[in-house]
Amino acid sequence: MDDDALMEVALAEASEGAEAGEVPVGAVVAVGDRIVARRHNERESLIDPTAHAELLALRDAAAEVGSWRLAGATLVVTLEPCPMCAGAAWAARLDRVVWGAPNPDAGALGSLYHLGADPRLNHEFELGHGVRAEECASLLADFFAERR
């Protein structure tokens, strides 16, 4: 599956999250052409500040492949990961992270920091960004506009 197709799945997850009252962020983990995990934010429903889509998807992916090392895997997420989620991508030893909309408030893969390409860390990963960015940003903007 290409980045666009994976982002389509992540957008569907984000929409499910929005319907449940969660900030609409969706994440997918793929190994080759196989999706091994897909999740959306669940901070409200789980009453857990760490229940970001990326962390939940990485946990599910590790369980699915039977290892915390997700070498060969790609994480696709609708919003640029925060420092916590970028750190989890680093810890999982992902090959690649792809994000849609930039996160100027907390983005840690280009906007404020770039934890995926810091030579001081013992692992770096490839980055793709801007995939279906307008759709990803619109989903978030619409969600917050409805709540104001």
Side-chain angles (χ1 to χ4, degrees):
M1 298 181 82
D2 66 7
D3 293 347
D4 189 72
L6 291 169
M7 188 61 78
E8 178 69 27
V9 176
L11 281 161
E13 278 294 322
S15 293
E16 283 184 38
E19 290 173 16
E22 301 282 352
V23 173
V25 176
V28 173
V29 178
V31 177
D33 283 340
R34 185 173 81 112
I35 293 175
V36 295
R38 56 185 285 173
R39 294 294 288 267
H40 55 268
N41 275 357
E42 294 186 42
R43 292 191 311 170
E44 300 297 332
S45 62
L46 296 177
I47 312 169
D48 179 354
T50 69
H52 289 201
E54 301 95 308
L55 287 182
L56 298 171
L58 289 172
R59 289 174 186 157
D60 289 354
E64 176 66 22
V65 302
S67 175
W68 64 267
R69 288 181 181 90
L70 296 175
T74 297
L75 169 67
V76 177
V77 60
T78 57
L79 179 66
E80 178 186 0
C82 71
M84 175 180 67
C85 295
W90 164 82
R93 306 299 193 260
L94 293 173
D95 280 6
R96 210 164 159 254
V97 175
V98 175
W99 51 267
N103 185 350
D105 296 328
L109 291 180
S111 291
L112 299 177
Y113 311 100
H114 195 334
L115 295 179
D118 188 331
R120 297 170 296 178
L121 297 173
N122 66 349
H123 177 73
E124 295 181 46
F125 49 83
E126 185 182 330
L127 182 67
H129 58 86
V131 176
R132 298 177 76 161
E134 289 182 24
E135 287 175 76
C136 295
S138 290
L139 192 58
L140 287 160
D142 292 349
F143 176 83
F144 288 113
E146 289 175 11
R147 276 146 183 79
R148 291 189 181 120

